[in-house]
Amino acid sequence: MKKLILLGMVAGILVSVFTIQAMAVNLTGAGATFPYPLYSKMFSEYYKKTGIKINYQAIGSGGGIRQIRAKTVDFGASDAYVDDEGLKKFSYPILHVPTAAGAVVITYNLPGNPKLKLTGRIIADIFLGKINNWCAPEIKKLNPKVKLPDLKIIVVHRSDGSGTTFIFSDYLSKVSRVWKNKVGRGKSLNWPCGLGAKGNPGVAGLIKQLPGSVGYVELIYALSNRMPYADVQNRAGNFITPSIRSVSLAADTKLPDDMRISLTDTSAKYGYPISGFTWILIYKDLKEGGLTKERAKALVKLLWWMIHEGQKYTEKLHYAPLSKKAVKKSEAIIKSITYEGKRLWR
Amino acid sequence: MEMRQDRTFKIMLWLGGISFFLLLLLIFILLFKESLYSINAFGIKFITGKVWDPVNEKFGLFPFFVGTILTSFISLFISLPFSLSLALLLSVYYKEGFINKVLSTTTELLAGIPSVIYGFWGLFFLVPLIRKVEIKLRIPPYGVGILTASLILAIMIIPYISSISKEVIKMVPQDLIEAGLSLGSTTWEVVKKVILPYCRSGIFAGILLGFGRAFGETMAVTMVIGNSNFVPENIFSPANTMASVIANEFTEATKDIHLSALIQIGLWLFVLSVIVNLIGSFIVKRYKIR
């Protein structure tokens, strides 16, 4: 008798699991932690609107790329685009759809926390350990009105691999040849000097503890924690205060059709130079990505919603919305998604 | 019927035991398999190399090895007097009563605190403290480094060492203690001449457990060690440990060789803890009173 009951229970569970799967379309995604607050807001609003549940796991961009390659998720997410070498490892072509832009700001701990102006060259030299005192002539010259203390600069960087470090080092590689040759760009670096701390909170915590320290954090983190940050000179020569607007403006430049572009050191006149997109990664042909047609349709609709209606949630959460140009290009990418060779978007 | 139950029970026990052993073996095999790529690429240079450069694909774990060994030994060294005093206090001097209740509850609570909380406490309390010391000593006042990490670890492992030592000391036969006292020894002499010699292998087992904890701790260490990939010059230097490098870089390691190098660190961490445990059980056996 007992066995019968047990058998019945198991059968019941199995049946209910299968029916739930058959009834609702659920999408799964994994990847970058940076857009996680934005995505959870977007996905919960989307669920309220359509009843489609999206399960997003913020396991990091690297993990997101690996998971979409292994086809264990419907979409991946990354703060750095997959480079040409990385693309070769995919068995089928993938697409990058940008969903928002973010930026990295230079933050510091100085008496009175004055507003500083910095150039790319100076930032590189500070993080290389070449400029190691706050009253260095290079910094003084740019900030004649600020009373800079005779204080040793303590560099604080991220110890964990992160998209933030990638954007930051990508920028420095563009503006400083020494940095490019000695350190290069990547999510984890061989830092020539300084202390490492885990995550934005770790860097912020250490900077608050150490007078004279300097580090980099995501703009959204600096804004919501009211940390001081520097204006950075862009390629056009303007000193730009990092803000949601100046980050959006960074994408006001020539964009490639596949949207795999780094916005750092942008040529946009009023764009903040340490900005970057965050992307969702999908297979160009969703059948090859292992999706059923129903899920594929739902995914395409979701992406379309994210780059249009979904954009209204960006600013409240301190992300920069996509510029008009960026939305246009992304529309074309979404329209090119196919299922068994046939276009899905009508 | 009884016999059959007896047999089923025994089979279940066996299954539990064997699956545990198999699990360990499988973990080792997986670690080895996944690190093969980096073992082939770097060979012995992986262990002796001092540069960890994921961008240019150069990987050497020596600085992290030094960091791990230094932090775990220094923390053991710091925590030992405190753990032993606590154990003796609770098992010899105050076997029950109010003081016993308060002290044993607080140590148990200490063991229950998540390591990230220790890390935050270290960052906001210990770091400024160490900084003041460093300013006095005229060394770069980072506040983070080997010593800060070791202090945090020392506090974290006190409950482990003290609770095991306490249980072991409680097992000393009352006859022996009373014999010592009746011969006219003071409590201190009984502790020194009877209790500690009787318990040394048990206490050592406790130390081993504490060492294992210090050895593999990641979160709290990462937050206060400074995460610098250089071989530390002194105990105030920022450094990094094997476990914390893995925790830091694993999620975002996109290159295969980087991932494989990180897994190889895991392999060595595994091998090292096996070695430490083997040496430990050898010593425990050797000094056991028969």
Side-chain angles (χ1 to χ4, degrees), chain B residues 237-269:
Chain B
S237 306
N240 216 340
T241 67
M242 291 159 80
S244 86
V245 175
I246 301 177
N248 270 321
E249 296 185 4
F250 197 77
T251 44
E252 293 286 347
T254 24
K255 288 178 191 163
D256 291 342
I257 189 75
H258 189 188
L259 201 65
S260 175
L262 288 170
I263 294 172
Q264 199 187 143
I265 296 186
L267 180 73
W268 286 113
L269 213 52

mmCIF file of all heavy atoms in Angstrom, chain B residues 237-269:
data_model
loop_
_atom_site.group_PDB
_atom_site.id
_atom_site.type_symbol
_atom_site.label_atom_id
_atom_site.label_comp_id
_atom_site.label_asym_id
_atom_site.label_seq_id
_atom_site.Cartn_x
_atom_site.Cartn_y
_atom_site.Cartn_z
ATOM 1 N N SER B 237 52.908 43.469 3.939
ATOM 2 C CA SER B 237 52.710 43.616 2.493
ATOM 3 C C SER B 237 51.340 43.108 2.065
ATOM 4 O O SER B 237 50.859 42.109 2.587
ATOM 5 C CB SER B 237 53.746 42.797 1.722
ATOM 6 O OG SER B 237 55.022 43.105 2.124
ATOM 7 N N PRO B 238 50.739 43.791 1.083
ATOM 8 C CA PRO B 238 49.562 43.191 0.462
ATOM 9 C C PRO B 238 49.985 41.945 -0.312
ATOM 10 O O PRO B 238 51.082 41.900 -0.865
ATOM 11 C CB PRO B 238 49.050 44.282 -0.479
ATOM 12 C CG PRO B 238 50.174 45.215 -0.680
ATOM 13 C CD PRO B 238 51.062 45.112 0.523
ATOM 14 N N ALA B 239 49.146 40.938 -0.332
ATOM 15 C CA ALA B 239 49.475 39.694 -1.020
ATOM 16 C C ALA B 239 48.187 39.069 -1.523
ATOM 17 O O ALA B 239 47.162 39.741 -1.612
ATOM 18 C CB ALA B 239 50.195 38.748 -0.062
ATOM 19 N N ASN B 240 48.243 37.799 -1.854
ATOM 20 C CA ASN B 240 47.067 37.088 -2.313
ATOM 21 C C ASN B 240 47.210 35.621 -1.955
ATOM 22 O O ASN B 240 48.331 35.144 -1.798
ATOM 23 C CB ASN B 240 46.934 37.247 -3.832
ATOM 24 C CG ASN B 240 45.496 37.352 -4.256
ATOM 25 O OD1 ASN B 240 44.602 36.961 -3.517
ATOM 26 N ND2 ASN B 240 45.261 37.887 -5.435
ATOM 27 N N THR B 241 46.102 34.917 -1.782
ATOM 28 C CA THR B 241 46.211 33.489 -1.493
ATOM 29 C C THR B 241 45.638 32.681 -2.651
ATOM 30 O O THR B 241 44.930 33.212 -3.495
ATOM 31 C CB THR B 241 45.445 33.099 -0.212
ATOM 32 O OG1 THR B 241 44.056 33.268 -0.458
ATOM 33 C CG2 THR B 241 45.869 33.938 0.966
ATOM 34 N N MET B 242 45.966 31.395 -2.668
ATOM 35 C CA MET B 242 45.515 30.530 -3.750
ATOM 36 C C MET B 242 43.993 30.515 -3.834
ATOM 37 O O MET B 242 43.402 30.669 -4.910
ATOM 38 C CB MET B 242 46.051 29.109 -3.526
ATOM 39 C CG MET B 242 47.557 29.016 -3.702
ATOM 40 S SD MET B 242 48.269 27.582 -2.899
ATOM 41 C CE MET B 242 47.889 26.317 -4.091
ATOM 42 N N ALA B 243 43.366 30.342 -2.685
ATOM 43 C CA ALA B 243 41.899 30.262 -2.683
ATOM 44 C C ALA B 243 41.272 31.568 -3.149
ATOM 45 O O ALA B 243 40.284 31.572 -3.877
ATOM 46 C CB ALA B 243 41.399 29.905 -1.286
ATOM 47 N N SER B 244 41.889 32.697 -2.753
ATOM 48 C CA SER B 244 41.230 33.952 -3.108
ATOM 49 C C SER B 244 41.440 34.303 -4.583
ATOM 50 O O SER B 244 40.582 34.943 -5.183
ATOM 51 C CB SER B 244 41.642 35.081 -2.162
ATOM 52 O OG SER B 244 42.808 35.697 -2.562
ATOM 53 N N VAL B 245 42.536 33.876 -5.178
ATOM 54 C CA VAL B 245 42.689 34.097 -6.625
ATOM 55 C C VAL B 245 41.596 33.358 -7.389
ATOM 56 O O VAL B 245 40.977 33.909 -8.306
ATOM 57 C CB VAL B 245 44.059 33.597 -7.132
ATOM 58 C CG1 VAL B 245 44.140 33.713 -8.637
ATOM 59 C CG2 VAL B 245 45.170 34.388 -6.510
ATOM 60 N N ILE B 246 41.348 32.114 -6.975
ATOM 61 C CA ILE B 246 40.308 31.342 -7.659
ATOM 62 C C ILE B 246 38.975 32.062 -7.516
ATOM 63 O O ILE B 246 38.248 32.280 -8.488
ATOM 64 C CB ILE B 246 40.201 29.923 -7.069
ATOM 65 C CG1 ILE B 246 41.540 29.194 -7.214
ATOM 66 C CG2 ILE B 246 39.102 29.139 -7.766
ATOM 67 C CD1 ILE B 246 41.543 27.820 -6.583
ATOM 68 N N ALA B 247 38.650 32.461 -6.283
ATOM 69 C CA ALA B 247 37.365 33.119 -6.048
ATOM 70 C C ALA B 247 37.257 34.402 -6.851
ATOM 71 O O ALA B 247 36.207 34.750 -7.361
ATOM 72 C CB ALA B 247 37.194 33.416 -4.563
ATOM 73 N N ASN B 248 38.377 35.113 -6.990
ATOM 74 C CA ASN B 248 38.357 36.392 -7.678
ATOM 75 C C ASN B 248 38.173 36.250 -9.179
ATOM 76 O O ASN B 248 37.434 36.993 -9.798
ATOM 77 C CB ASN B 248 39.669 37.137 -7.429
ATOM 78 C CG ASN B 248 39.586 38.013 -6.202
ATOM 79 O OD1 ASN B 248 38.560 38.626 -5.962
ATOM 80 N ND2 ASN B 248 40.645 38.068 -5.446
ATOM 81 N N GLU B 249 38.910 35.317 -9.764
ATOM 82 C CA GLU B 249 39.000 35.331 -11.220
ATOM 83 C C GLU B 249 38.161 34.274 -11.923
ATOM 84 O O GLU B 249 37.978 34.342 -13.127
ATOM 85 C CB GLU B 249 40.481 35.207 -11.639
ATOM 86 C CG GLU B 249 41.270 36.410 -11.176
ATOM 87 C CD GLU B 249 42.711 36.417 -11.662
ATOM 88 O OE1 GLU B 249 43.094 35.521 -12.423
ATOM 89 O OE2 GLU B 249 43.440 37.324 -11.250
ATOM 90 N N PHE B 250 37.629 33.312 -11.180
ATOM 91 C CA PHE B 250 36.978 32.181 -11.832
ATOM 92 C C PHE B 250 35.775 32.596 -12.678
ATOM 93 O O PHE B 250 35.627 32.168 -13.812
ATOM 94 C CB PHE B 250 36.560 31.149 -10.797
ATOM 95 C CG PHE B 250 36.257 29.811 -11.373
ATOM 96 C CD1 PHE B 250 37.281 28.963 -11.746
ATOM 97 C CD2 PHE B 250 34.958 29.405 -11.583
ATOM 98 C CE1 PHE B 250 37.016 27.729 -12.305
ATOM 99 C CE2 PHE B 250 34.680 28.177 -12.144
ATOM 100 C CZ PHE B 250 35.712 27.338 -12.506
ATOM 101 N N THR B 251 34.910 33.453 -12.119
ATOM 102 C CA THR B 251 33.655 33.756 -12.821
ATOM 103 C C THR B 251 33.890 34.439 -14.159
ATOM 104 O O THR B 251 33.094 34.291 -15.070
ATOM 105 C CB THR B 251 32.757 34.674 -11.982
ATOM 106 O OG1 THR B 251 33.567 35.704 -11.434
ATOM 107 C CG2 THR B 251 32.071 33.920 -10.884
ATOM 108 N N GLU B 252 34.951 35.216 -14.269
ATOM 109 C CA GLU B 252 35.134 35.997 -15.488
ATOM 110 C C GLU B 252 36.301 35.508 -16.337
ATOM 111 O O GLU B 252 36.804 36.238 -17.172
ATOM 112 C CB GLU B 252 35.331 37.478 -15.143
ATOM 113 C CG GLU B 252 34.092 38.122 -14.560
ATOM 114 C CD GLU B 252 33.007 38.388 -15.596
ATOM 115 O OE1 GLU B 252 33.295 38.301 -16.792
ATOM 116 O OE2 GLU B 252 31.875 38.672 -15.186
ATOM 117 N N ALA B 253 36.756 34.291 -16.078
ATOM 118 C CA ALA B 253 37.857 33.773 -16.888
ATOM 119 C C ALA B 253 37.308 33.276 -18.212
ATOM 120 O O ALA B 253 36.689 32.225 -18.276
ATOM 121 C CB ALA B 253 38.567 32.648 -16.151
ATOM 122 N N THR B 254 37.500 34.056 -19.283
ATOM 123 C CA THR B 254 36.919 33.678 -20.564
ATOM 124 C C THR B 254 37.859 32.800 -21.375
ATOM 125 O O THR B 254 37.423 31.991 -22.164
ATOM 126 C CB THR B 254 36.531 34.919 -21.386
ATOM 127 O OG1 THR B 254 37.318 36.005 -20.940
ATOM 128 C CG2 THR B 254 35.079 35.238 -21.219
ATOM 129 N N LYS B 255 39.176 33.002 -21.186
ATOM 130 C CA LYS B 255 40.114 32.193 -21.979
ATOM 131 C C LYS B 255 40.252 30.807 -21.361
ATOM 132 O O LYS B 255 40.299 30.668 -20.141
ATOM 133 C CB LYS B 255 41.484 32.861 -21.984
ATOM 134 C CG LYS B 255 41.546 34.117 -22.808
ATOM 135 C CD LYS B 255 42.938 34.694 -22.697
ATOM 136 C CE LYS B 255 43.017 36.071 -23.277
ATOM 137 N NZ LYS B 255 44.224 36.762 -22.825
ATOM 138 N N ASP B 256 40.382 29.791 -22.223
ATOM 139 C CA ASP B 256 40.499 28.421 -21.726
ATOM 140 C C ASP B 256 41.735 28.233 -20.857
ATOM 141 O O ASP B 256 41.694 27.549 -19.853
ATOM 142 C CB ASP B 256 40.540 27.439 -22.906
ATOM 143 C CG ASP B 256 39.201 27.388 -23.612
ATOM 144 O OD1 ASP B 256 38.215 27.827 -22.998
ATOM 145 O OD2 ASP B 256 39.154 26.937 -24.767
ATOM 146 N N ILE B 257 42.849 28.863 -21.287
ATOM 147 C CA ILE B 257 44.096 28.645 -20.554
ATOM 148 C C ILE B 257 44.023 29.289 -19.164
ATOM 149 O O ILE B 257 44.530 28.755 -18.183
ATOM 150 C CB ILE B 257 45.311 29.179 -21.360
ATOM 151 C CG1 ILE B 257 46.630 28.771 -20.716
ATOM 152 C CG2 ILE B 257 45.270 30.675 -21.549
ATOM 153 C CD1 ILE B 257 46.988 27.348 -20.925
ATOM 154 N N HIS B 258 43.338 30.422 -19.079
ATOM 155 C CA HIS B 258 43.152 31.097 -17.794
ATOM 156 C C HIS B 258 42.333 30.209 -16.851
ATOM 157 O O HIS B 258 42.701 29.991 -15.701
ATOM 158 C CB HIS B 258 42.439 32.428 -18.051
ATOM 159 C CG HIS B 258 42.375 33.334 -16.862
ATOM 160 N ND1 HIS B 258 41.644 34.486 -16.854
ATOM 161 C CD2 HIS B 258 42.934 33.257 -15.640
ATOM 162 C CE1 HIS B 258 41.767 35.075 -15.676
ATOM 163 N NE2 HIS B 258 42.546 34.350 -14.921
ATOM 164 N N LEU B 259 41.248 29.676 -17.389
ATOM 165 C CA LEU B 259 40.384 28.805 -16.597
ATOM 166 C C LEU B 259 41.152 27.572 -16.124
ATOM 167 O O LEU B 259 41.082 27.188 -14.953
ATOM 168 C CB LEU B 259 39.197 28.375 -17.465
ATOM 169 C CG LEU B 259 37.970 27.892 -16.729
ATOM 170 C CD1 LEU B 259 37.376 29.016 -15.919
ATOM 171 C CD2 LEU B 259 36.946 27.365 -17.714
ATOM 172 N N SER B 260 41.901 27.001 -17.055
ATOM 173 C CA SER B 260 42.655 25.798 -16.713
ATOM 174 C C SER B 260 43.714 26.095 -15.650
ATOM 175 O O SER B 260 43.937 25.295 -14.737
ATOM 176 C CB SER B 260 43.303 25.240 -17.979
ATOM 177 O OG SER B 260 44.117 24.157 -17.684
ATOM 178 N N ALA B 261 44.344 27.275 -15.742
ATOM 179 C CA ALA B 261 45.347 27.659 -14.741
ATOM 180 C C ALA B 261 44.696 27.808 -13.369
ATOM 181 O O ALA B 261 45.265 27.384 -12.352
ATOM 182 C CB ALA B 261 46.018 28.964 -15.155
ATOM 183 N N LEU B 262 43.503 28.384 -13.341
ATOM 184 C CA LEU B 262 42.805 28.552 -12.060
ATOM 185 C C LEU B 262 42.440 27.196 -11.467
ATOM 186 O O LEU B 262 42.566 26.970 -10.265
ATOM 187 C CB LEU B 262 41.545 29.399 -12.249
ATOM 188 C CG LEU B 262 41.792 30.882 -12.506
ATOM 189 C CD1 LEU B 262 40.509 31.575 -12.930
ATOM 190 C CD2 LEU B 262 42.357 31.552 -11.274
ATOM 191 N N ILE B 263 42.012 26.281 -12.340
ATOM 192 C CA ILE B 263 41.660 24.950 -11.847
ATOM 193 C C ILE B 263 42.908 24.230 -11.343
ATOM 194 O O ILE B 263 42.869 23.515 -10.353
ATOM 195 C CB ILE B 263 40.932 24.141 -12.939
ATOM 196 C CG1 ILE B 263 39.587 24.794 -13.232
ATOM 197 C CG2 ILE B 263 40.722 22.701 -12.496
ATOM 198 C CD1 ILE B 263 38.840 24.232 -14.398
ATOM 199 N N GLN B 264 44.039 24.515 -12.008
ATOM 200 C CA GLN B 264 45.275 23.887 -11.525
ATOM 201 C C GLN B 264 45.634 24.390 -10.119
ATOM 202 O O GLN B 264 46.146 23.630 -9.294
ATOM 203 C CB GLN B 264 46.446 24.122 -12.486
ATOM 204 C CG GLN B 264 47.539 23.118 -12.236
ATOM 205 C CD GLN B 264 48.801 23.376 -13.031
ATOM 206 O OE1 GLN B 264 49.877 23.170 -12.522
ATOM 207 N NE2 GLN B 264 48.676 23.815 -14.257
ATOM 208 N N ILE B 265 45.360 25.663 -9.842
ATOM 209 C CA ILE B 265 45.560 26.143 -8.467
ATOM 210 C C ILE B 265 44.689 25.330 -7.513
ATOM 211 O O ILE B 265 45.129 24.912 -6.446
ATOM 212 C CB ILE B 265 45.211 27.638 -8.340
ATOM 213 C CG1 ILE B 265 46.162 28.477 -9.183
ATOM 214 C CG2 ILE B 265 45.300 28.086 -6.893
ATOM 215 C CD1 ILE B 265 45.973 29.953 -8.983
ATOM 216 N N GLY B 266 43.443 25.075 -7.939
ATOM 217 C CA GLY B 266 42.539 24.261 -7.131
ATOM 218 C C GLY B 266 43.108 22.880 -6.897
ATOM 219 O O GLY B 266 43.042 22.339 -5.785
ATOM 220 N N LEU B 267 43.713 22.321 -7.935
ATOM 221 C CA LEU B 267 44.334 20.999 -7.816
ATOM 222 C C LEU B 267 45.431 21.016 -6.752
ATOM 223 O O LEU B 267 45.510 20.134 -5.897
ATOM 224 C CB LEU B 267 44.897 20.583 -9.168
ATOM 225 C CG LEU B 267 45.591 19.224 -9.234
ATOM 226 C CD1 LEU B 267 44.562 18.115 -9.159
ATOM 227 C CD2 LEU B 267 46.398 19.077 -10.520
ATOM 228 N N TRP B 268 46.262 22.043 -6.802
ATOM 229 C CA TRP B 268 47.358 22.110 -5.827
ATOM 230 C C TRP B 268 46.850 22.360 -4.421
ATOM 231 O O TRP B 268 47.409 21.856 -3.443
ATOM 232 C CB TRP B 268 48.377 23.180 -6.236
ATOM 233 C CG TRP B 268 49.198 22.720 -7.399
ATOM 234 C CD1 TRP B 268 49.189 23.227 -8.662
ATOM 235 C CD2 TRP B 268 50.101 21.607 -7.424
ATOM 236 N NE1 TRP B 268 50.026 22.507 -9.470
ATOM 237 C CE2 TRP B 268 50.593 21.510 -8.738
ATOM 238 C CE3 TRP B 268 50.508 20.680 -6.474
ATOM 239 C CZ2 TRP B 268 51.500 20.526 -9.118
ATOM 240 C CZ3 TRP B 268 51.417 19.705 -6.852
ATOM 241 C CH2 TRP B 268 51.903 19.639 -8.155
ATOM 242 N N LEU B 269 45.790 23.117 -4.310
ATOM 243 C CA LEU B 269 45.159 23.341 -3.011
ATOM 244 C C LEU B 269 44.682 22.001 -2.448
ATOM 245 O O LEU B 269 44.869 21.690 -1.274
ATOM 246 C CB LEU B 269 43.975 24.293 -3.197
ATOM 247 C CG LEU B 269 43.619 25.257 -2.086
ATOM 248 C CD1 LEU B 269 44.813 26.058 -1.634
ATOM 249 C CD2 LEU B 269 42.533 26.204 -2.554
#
